[in-house]
Amino acid sequence: MTLRNILLGATMLCASATPAIAFAQTAAPADDTAVAVDDMDYGNDIIVTASKRSQTLQDTPVAVSVTSAAALEEAQIRDLIDLQTAVPSLRVSQLQSSANTNFIIRGFGNGANNAGIEPSVGVFIDGVYRSRSAAQIGDLPNVERIEVLRGPQSTLFGKNASAGVISIVTQKPQYEFGGSAEVTYGNYDAITIKGDVTGPISDKVAFSIGGSYNRRDGYARDLKLNTDVNDRNRWGVRGQLLFEPTEALSIRLIGDYDKINENCCIAGNVIAGPTVAITNGLAGGPSVDANNPFSYNVYNNFLSSNKIQNYGGSAQIDYDLGTMALTSITAYRQVRADTNQDSDFTGADLIGEKSDYVDINTFTQELRLASDFDGPINFLIGGYYFNEKVDQQSAIRFGTQFRPYGDALIRAASGNALNVGLLETTLGALEGNPAKYTGSFFRTGNGLSEAYDMKNEAFSIFGTVDFEVTDRLTLTVGGNYTKDRKNFSTNVVSSDVFSGINLDAPAYAPFRNQLLFQGGIAQTIGGPAVLNLGRPATAAEIQTFAGANPAAYAGIAGQVQAFATANQNNPAVNPLNGLKAFQFLPPFPNVPNAVESGRTNDGDFSYSLRAAYELTDTVNIYATYATGFKASSINLSRDSRPLASDLAAITTAGLRTPNLVAGSRFANPEESTVYEFGLKGQWSVAAVNVAVFKQSIKGFQSNVFTGTGFALANAGKQSTFGIEFDGSVRPVAGLNLTLAATYLDAKYDSFVNSAFGDISGSTPAGIPELSMSIGGTYTHEFAGGTKAIAHVDYAYESPVQIVEGLSGFPASVAQNLKREVNSLNASFTLRLTSGIDVGVWGRNLTNAQYLTTIFPAVAQAGSVSGYPSQPRTYGGTIRYKF
């Protein structure tokens, strides 16, 4: 599938809509209630708030996709992970836990795996910012619509919208009593129960309350623990009060609480490396389902756990001043996420604990004033305050079998010349106590104890001015000044004894001398000048040669010994260098310290320029230039390391720890720009939206897993040329066809310091060239009013390289591991006049299989793990609306 396919599909859809071009639009609904996108009369307008004003989708000069409540019901979209099947420019990846979910728009986005890394895609629910993925991934509440704003939105949405925004708008309380109840049952013994009720308390006060419960058995099997895994277990409640004491004043109070307690997420074995033989031996049988991630069979020593609490409240006050409207949104939220995982993903007990407890407290305040003048000029001006505190407690500890596993690795790396016991005794003896290290290398329960703290305070002032040059041409200029300050600290203690040893230390010179001599003798005698074995000589072969050729051996030994003595303190030829790869958890240089302040202080002015022109009553075009900003991200993980430029000062200050290498404490801010041209058309039986854009981000914050940790770095520049098409047509009464497609041509213009070297000029991984969603809904009304509704949709992503690279592997390995998505979803609903719906549905009906991401297996050189896609699900739903 290529760009040609997009243009062909767009042409066909537009052609089918051509007869309706002459029909005019009607006025927007007076109550600003959104019309259901898939059930709408195309003569009505869809109301959105992408510009923080209520406007029709047609008149909003922003690339925005809208998904209605009806579309969510028909497609069985329950959370934002499911939403990507309806919005091709959006990609959502759930990684190692329920709390780690990554949102990407137009190929830009990050934010998972590290509480200090804020997302590039902002998620808002009823105008309240959800700062971390743990607060974003619960089941959707009683939704009115979901708006996905594509491209930089920093002018109105602030510091963490450099790639786009997902805005979820829920239904307000109503003054007419009503509600709904829904029960769904599906395969894997899935049960979902949802309900809501709304109505008046008085003629000036209305309420609504809703709740949901979602439980499902796991679709994977842990063969060692003999239980299903990757289950679902979550519930939530949400209540609202709407006060309207006067026609001019409206106060909306919202409170919500949701909880997740799930086993997630399995990683299958994609490539079985040489360590699998070791882990199989330790496990006493299979430790992984080798090279078979889609068997959904895994082997673990304990169940991974995800316990997440997410709750908060908000107050929105709207006051109509006549020609102006004042809006205030005040919110406080707290997220508590407690996760633990058998992160070696094998049946051997290598990692006994990999836990993270994160407590995030967030307060936000937004105040804005919008004009509604009759004249040609209108404005919106506002301010935003953000205050957040992140407390994180983490640990990674060796399991009961990591010591024999480490011993096997050392034996393999040294050709059986070394082992754990020999190293403990020898190194201890050289320090004056042979028993000093006895039993301490890779000891069960040793590892890292981690504590991180971050305080983030930010404010912004923003505004836009609209100037109606004519009744058809509007020019808009907007700006946003943001100031962002972060203070962070760490308290990380390593008890990994072996990782705290400096194998280059002078005290170990005699040992290195001995190993250099032994290795030199074996290489020389086995070499072409002597025995010509094509390999190092064995001890027996050396002894035989020495006995038969004492003079020759003495000469060789003298030369080798001279080399060993001269180089016993030379790190470049240290015979212990191969063991440094097994120093997994070295001592941690905590921050702040005398060299590193543990602070960032960023400021930025983002702006947008836009021209919108109404070609006809049914066709609008717009052109936009906009910039975006994302503040510095902090590396709150054990992989935090001083910058290379700070190492000299760290050493001078006496702060250097053993085996310290350069890394990053934080990534500098992102700055994005976009040039965009768009066309929006709406007729009585069709609607079309097209956007052509060139978008780039300077300093893109890349966060890549390397097998033992994450590498956080700024890319020089990443850019994307793209075309987006979103259209729908109703060729006959009752039939609605939709096509949404995105073409992306992405590249790293400059990325010199990536985790895999200089990858400038390459295509960023995980960004498919073509994504599309094709759907159809047919509604047939019987005599008497009963309706039959059939819906089908198909989502496609062209083949794409999953990750930029895999540490320890040739580049070709990652290049050959690709993902292609082909997902078919369908539903059939019988809607009775009594308000009861009875339906059946299926998602991923073809049982398409693909890997969402892959990574080097933890502490297992040569192996690759990956997260497999969710298999086919299906079920039935009964819904009652009153």
Side-chain angles (χ1 to χ4, degrees):
M1 307 277 282
T2 63
L3 176 60
R4 176 177 175 272
N5 297 76
I6 299 180
L7 299 177
L8 179 60
T11 302
M12 293 174 63
L13 191 56
C14 289
S16 64
T18 301
I21 291 179
F23 288 86
Q25 295 172 279
T26 61
D31 63 356
D32 285 350
T33 301
V35 179
V37 176
D38 291 317
D39 291 338
M40 71 181 182
D41 173 357
Y42 284 87
N44 288 330
D45 293 327
I46 306 164
I47 303 301
V48 298
T49 52
S51 59
K52 295 201 173 181
R53 296 174 180 266
S54 292
Q55 290 181 291
T56 68
L57 179 61
Q58 171 79 0
D59 292 334
T60 302
V62 176
V64 54
S65 300
V66 183
T67 306
S68 70
L72 296 173
E73 288 180 357
E74 291 167 358
Q76 285 293 311
I77 293 173
R78 300 201 176 278
D79 56 27
L80 292 179
I81 297 175
D82 295 336
L83 182 64
Q84 62 185 322
T85 60
V87 183
S89 291
L90 173 68
R91 182 166 177 265
V92 187
S93 299
Q94 183 168 283
L95 304 176
Q96 75 265 32
S97 74
S98 299
N100 294 112
T101 303
N102 201 19
F103 299 94
I104 296 173
I105 294 178
R106 292 179 171 177
F108 298 97
N110 54 23
N113 298 310
N114 192 318
I117 301 177
E118 296 176 276
S120 301
V121 175
V123 175
F124 293 78
I125 300 181
D126 290 323
V128 176
Y129 177 52
R130 300 290 183 97
S131 65
R132 296 297 188 279
S133 61
Q136 301 163 354
I137 47 78
D139 285 2
L140 294 170
N142 195 13
V143 171
E144 180 179 288
R145 68 183 181 275
I146 300 177
E147 304 173 13
V148 178
L149 285 61
R150 309 186 297 269
Q153 306 295 327
S154 295
T155 299
L156 291 178
F157 290 91
K159 64 170 184 162
N160 296 123
S162 58
V165 163
I166 301 172
S167 177
I168 301 171
V169 181
T170 69
Q171 296 177 7
K172 290 182 179 180
Q174 302 296 306
Y175 285 96
E176 181 177 347
F177 184 75
S180 67
E182 175 185 315
V183 177
T184 296
Y185 182 79
N187 61 331
Y188 302 108
D189 204 21
I191 299 175
T192 302
I193 302 172
K194 295 177 65 176
D196 65 272
V197 62
T198 186
I201 296 177
S202 69
D203 61 345
K204 297 184 182 298
V205 182
F207 80 97
S208 70
I209 186 167
S212 66
Y213 171 74
N214 187 347
R215 191 205 66 79
R216 184 203 66 211
D217 290 344
Y219 57 77
R221 191 75 185 173
D222 191 312
L223 298 181
K224 182 168 185 176
L225 299 176
N226 192 31
T227 185
D228 61 87
V229 288
N230 267 40
D231 64 5
R232 177 148 293 187
N233 184 16
R234 54 182 64 176
W235 62 271
V237 293
R238 180 180 176 87
Q240 299 188 58
L241 285 175
L242 179 64
F243 299 89
E244 295 180 315
T246 69
E247 291 186 359
L249 178 63
S250 172
I251 302 172
R252 185 183 184 189
L253 304 179
I254 303 174
D256 66 271
Y257 177 91
D258 58 74
K259 187 173 184 179
I260 293 174
N261 186 1
E262 298 174 348
N263 172 274
C264 179
C265 303
I266 67 159
N269 180 267
V270 180
I271 298 176
T275 59
V276 170
I278 303 174
T279 55
N280 285 348
L282 293 172
S287 60
V288 296
D289 194 351
N291 308 303
N292 193 13
F294 298 113
S295 69
Y296 299 98
N297 290 327
V298 296
Y299 298 80
N300 291 292
N301 297 283
F302 60 89
L303 288 175
S304 297
S305 60
N306 298 263
K307 299 177 181 179
I308 302 168
Q309 297 180 75
N310 173 37
Y311 53 90
S314 65
Q316 178 170 336
I317 302 174
D318 293 290
Y319 190 65
D320 188 350
L321 301 172
T323 57
M324 290 185 289
L326 182 67
T327 298
S328 170
I329 303 177
T330 307
Y332 173 80
R333 301 209 59 81
Q334 185 164 9
V335 178
R336 294 177 178 175
D338 188 358
T339 64
N340 192 16
Q341 187 176 54
D342 186 0
S343 57
D344 59 79
F345 303 111
T346 75
D349 187 15
L350 305 184
I351 304 299
E353 177 185 356
K354 172 59 180 73
S355 61
D356 294 286
Y357 176 79
V358 183
D359 189 349
I360 303 174
N361 296 267
T362 309
F363 172 80
T364 59
Q365 172 64 56
E366 181 176 3
L367 187 67
R368 63 180 186 264
L369 181 68
S371 70
D372 187 19
F373 302 140
D374 291 333
I377 296 179
N378 276 286
F379 69 86
L380 181 149
I381 188 170
Y384 185 80
Y385 175 75
F386 175 88
N387 189 300
E388 184 171 78
K389 183 178 181 181
V390 178
D391 290 311
Q392 178 176 332
Q393 307 289 326
S394 302
I396 181 169
R397 305 190 191 283
F398 296 138
T400 58
Q401 293 180 315
F402 201 94
R403 180 175 171 86
Y405 177 72
D407 183 68
L409 294 179
I410 289 172
R411 288 177 183 272
S414 65
N416 278 320
L418 302 174
N419 58 69
V420 167
L422 175 62
L423 284 173
E424 289 173 336
T425 301
T426 303
L427 299 182
L430 291 171
E431 293 182 39
N433 180 5
K436 178 179 180 179
Y437 295 123
T438 301
S440 65
F441 290 0
F442 311 123
R443 182 164 48 204
T444 301
N446 282 9
L448 279 184
S449 296
E450 309 165 63
Y452 308 96
D453 178 84
M454 183 179 77
K455 297 177 181 178
N456 183 194
E457 187 174 36
F459 70 86
S460 61
I461 300 172
F462 60 88
T464 61
V465 177
D466 297 330
F467 176 52
E468 292 186 9
V469 181
T470 69
D471 60 349
R472 291 187 178 274
L473 176 62
T474 300
L475 304 179
T476 301
V477 59
N480 180 307
Y481 176 76
T482 295
K483 189 71 172 177
D484 182 271
R485 297 185 180 94
K486 293 184 175 75
N487 295 335
F488 60 97
S489 62
T490 69
N491 183 17
V492 180
V493 178
S494 174
S495 56
D496 178 2
V497 177
F498 183 61
S499 294
I501 291 176
N502 179 7
L503 296 175
D504 294 322
Y508 306 141
F511 187 33
R512 294 192 295 269
N513 188 308
Q514 176 188 344
L515 293 175
L516 283 170
F517 177 79
Q518 292 173 348
I521 286 290
Q523 288 284 356
T524 303
I525 293 178
V530 186
L531 297 181
N532 195 23
L533 300 174
R535 56 171 175 79
T538 65
E541 290 167 338
I542 293 172
Q543 185 176 8
T544 300
F545 174 80
N549 305 279
Y553 175 78
I556 293 173
Q559 294 175 355
V560 171
Q561 184 60 68
F563 175 84
T565 301
N567 289 276
Q568 63 186 12
N569 289 312
N570 181 359
V573 296
N574 185 345
L576 300 175
N577 280 342
L579 305 185
K580 294 178 180 179
F582 311 132
Q583 294 182 305
F584 298 108
L585 304 171
F588 188 95
N590 284 302
V591 67
N593 53 53
V595 177
E596 301 168 296
S597 66
R599 297 180 180 179
T600 64
N601 190 346
D602 304 320
D604 181 81
F605 179 74
S606 301
Y607 62 94
S608 59
L609 305 171
R610 181 176 293 116
Y613 186 71
E614 188 177 338
L615 284 174
T616 69
D617 290 341
T618 57
V619 179
N620 292 0
I621 60 174
Y622 68 89
T624 297
Y625 173 79
T627 67
F629 169 72
K630 177 184 173 184
S632 296
S633 284
I634 309 302
N635 196 352
L636 296 185
S637 79
R638 62 186 175 278
D639 310 299
S640 174
R641 294 289 185 273
L643 296 171
S645 57
D646 288 334
L647 282 182
I650 291 282
T651 303
T652 301
L655 300 173
R656 185 153 190 158
T657 56
N659 304 315
L660 178 63
V661 295
S664 66
R665 297 291 194 186
F666 58 88
N668 290 318
E670 294 179 353
E671 295 183 352
S672 58
T673 59
V674 65
Y675 298 86
E676 184 173 315
F677 173 81
L679 179 147
K680 299 191 175 193
Q682 184 171 322
W683 304 278
S684 61
V685 296
V688 171
N689 298 302
V690 179
V692 181
F693 62 90
K694 176 71 172 182
Q695 185 172 330
S696 64
I697 290 185
K698 291 182 178 179
F700 175 73
Q701 295 169 358
S702 170
N703 192 40
V704 176
F705 186 68
T706 61
T708 55
F710 289 87
L712 177 64
N714 288 100
K717 183 180 179 182
Q718 178 184 339
S719 64
T720 299
F721 169 78
I723 301 173
E724 295 167 325
F725 176 89
D726 191 351
S728 57
V729 63
R730 184 168 292 170
V732 297
L735 177 62
N736 187 45
L737 304 176
T738 62
L739 169 65
T742 299
Y743 167 80
L744 298 176
D745 181 10
K747 71 173 180 177
Y748 283 123
D749 301 270
S750 173
F751 197 176
V752 176
N753 61 334
S754 84
F756 311 103
D758 186 354
I759 57 174
S760 302
S762 66
T763 299
I767 304 176
E769 184 179 42
L770 175 62
S771 302
M772 61 191 307
S773 176
I774 304 171
T777 302
Y778 180 70
T779 303
H780 177 75
E781 185 169 351
F782 299 95
T786 296
K787 294 181 179 179
I789 304 169
H791 171 83
V792 63
D793 64 79
Y794 167 73
Y796 171 77
E797 291 182 12
S798 59
V800 63
Q801 184 175 325
I802 302 174
V803 294
E804 254 100 47
L806 293 164
S807 294
F809 289 87
S812 59
V813 175
Q815 291 166 0
N816 290 328
L817 290 171
K818 297 182 181 294
R819 178 184 65 245
E820 180 179 8
V821 177
N822 290 275
S823 180
L824 179 66
N825 311 307
S827 67
F828 178 80
T829 303
L830 193 65
R831 181 162 295 165
L832 308 179
T833 55
S834 60
I836 296 177
D837 290 358
V838 180
V840 293
W841 54 269
R843 292 188 61 82
N844 189 20
L845 287 172
T846 58
N847 205 31
Q849 297 177 334
Y850 55 91
L851 294 167
T852 60
T853 193
I854 57 175
F855 53 92
V858 176
Q860 300 164 69
S863 289
V864 175
S865 299
Y867 297 111
S869 58
Q870 183 171 296
R872 177 193 300 114
T873 56
Y874 51 86
T877 297
I878 298 176
R879 184 183 301 112
Y880 176 57
K881 294 184 178 181
F882 56 93

